[in-house]
Amino acid sequence: METTMDMLLTEMPTAGCCMPALAPRISPAEAQQLSDDLTMLSHPIRLQILDMLAQRDGEVCVCDLEAALPVKQPTVSHHLKLLRAAGLITCERRGLWAYYSVQREALAAMRRRILAQFDALQ
Amino acid sequence: METTMDMLLTEMPTAGCCMPALAPRISPAEAQQLSDDLTMLSHPIRLQILDMLAQRDGEVCVCDLEAALPVKQPTVSHHLKLLRAAGLITCERRGLWAYYSVQREALAAMRRRILAQFDALQ
DNA sequence: CGCCTACATCGAAGGTTGTCAATATAGTTT
DNA sequence: AAACTATATTGACAACCTTCGATGTAGGCG
């Protein structure tokens, strides 16, 4: 007859579960950071915006984006605001227009963070 | 005095916007696929589950996961179901227990898809 | 058989996100 | 100054996501 203690201390070939101390190697905080990065990228409109800005850095205004995307102007502005808050893009006002650019270094840093965690999963 | 037509046909050093045919190089369908991939990964619980499964392939049951995570059993089952539907994990029932494994090839394929699109942004 | 255990599913509640019409803001033109 | 333009913001609504208690299911055991 085996006690619970015996089961915890011996190896269990076929039956049994809940082996000693399984824990994620990634910390909850790291998981949250990675999740935030991925969430920022996980929207088709934001991906397409980043793609267009990467093509024509500093020369893309909101009406260009609006014309190329299947959403209305307030929605474009909304996604631009999110990307700006995440540090992935910047905007410069010239006259009536707002010209947006990718922050390539910030995007590269995010890419590095994502890859590092991905590779930690082997 | 310049007409709108003049502005469209000449180069515009400072003012003017809406240049010819800006379009995302990434298609809406590709953007959606990438967005789906990223969405699947963009949750701390799912990331931690994948991390734990990557450590101890095929020997992790739901109660191990539940013990290591700050959510209740139905929530763990919910995330496992999503990961299973995405093809990223599989489960094998042995007796009362359900043992989960990472599908390393599916995860690697997802990594490849994400990286390819990321690199396309330069 | 009846009870127990591990896990899945259901259904409801609460939170977050995405969208757009309406409106505000700020620069431009006349 | 008044009219106009590009963009931002607001507020409302709908859709979606996450979570969990309650319940269902199926295998193991006395």
Side-chain angles (χ1 to χ4, degrees):
Chain A
M1 176 264 201
E2 274 192 334
T3 65
T4 306
M5 219 34 188
D6 287 336
M7 293 188 61
L8 283 172
L9 295 174
T10 57
E11 54 184 342
M12 292 146 289
T14 48
C17 76
C18 301
M19 314 213 171
L22 179 62
R25 293 163 300 187
I26 188 175
S27 72
E30 285 171 326
Q32 186 61 57
Q33 156 82 51
L34 178 53
S35 163
D36 289 347
D37 283 349
L38 294 168
T39 299
M40 180 54 54
L41 295 177
S42 66
H43 192 287
I45 297 293
R46 288 195 290 274
L47 290 170
Q48 291 175 89
I49 288 174
L50 285 174
D51 186 33
M52 286 189 278
L53 295 186
Q55 281 181 69
R56 291 216 200 143
D57 231 359
E59 291 304 329
V60 182
C61 65
V62 179
C63 56
D64 288 323
L65 297 172
E66 189 187 353
L69 294 169
V71 290
K72 302 285 186 184
Q73 177 264 319
T75 303
V76 176
S77 274
H78 169 68
H79 289 294
L80 289 170
K81 186 180 190 173
L82 294 179
L83 290 168
R84 218 175 331 120
L88 292 177
I89 66 177
T90 51
C91 96
E92 182 200 351
R93 265 192 168 268
R94 272 184 259 156
L96 278 181
W97 295 276
Y99 292 90
Y100 280 85
S101 314
V102 174
Q103 287 290 94
R104 291 183 194 274
E105 189 38 56
L107 196 59
M110 184 176 281
R111 190 193 114 107
R112 257 179 267 123
R113 284 196 300 273
I114 291 172
L115 256 186
Q117 299 286 359
F118 223 122
D119 290 345
L121 298 183
Q122 278 139 26
Chain B
M1 174 263 202
E2 274 192 338
T3 65
T4 305
M5 218 36 186
D6 287 336
M7 293 187 60
L8 284 172
L9 294 174
T10 56
E11 54 185 339
M12 292 147 290
T14 50
C17 78
C18 301
M19 315 214 170
L22 179 62
R25 294 162 300 185
I26 190 175
S27 72
E30 286 171 325
Q32 186 62 56
Q33 155 82 51
L34 178 52
S35 163
D36 290 347
D37 283 349
L38 295 168
T39 298
M40 180 55 54
L41 295 177
S42 66
H43 193 288
I45 297 293
R46 289 196 289 275
L47 290 170
Q48 291 176 90
I49 289 174
L50 286 174
D51 186 34
M52 287 188 277
L53 296 185
Q55 281 181 69
R56 292 218 200 139
D57 232 357
E59 292 303 330
V60 182
C61 66
V62 180
C63 55
D64 288 324
L65 297 172
E66 189 186 353
L69 293 169
V71 290
K72 304 283 187 186
Q73 177 264 318
T75 304
V76 175
S77 274
H78 170 68
H79 289 294
L80 288 169
K81 185 178 191 174
L82 294 180
L83 290 167
R84 216 174 332 119
L88 292 178
I89 66 177
T90 53
C91 93
E92 182 200 351
R93 267 195 167 264
R94 273 183 258 156
L96 278 181
W97 294 276
Y99 292 91
Y100 279 85
S101 315
V102 175
Q103 287 290 95
R104 291 183 194 273
E105 189 38 58
L107 196 58
M110 185 177 279
R111 189 193 115 106
R112 256 179 268 122
R113 284 198 299 274
I114 291 172
L115 255 186
Q117 299 287 358
F118 224 122
D119 291 345
L121 297 183
Q122 278 139 24

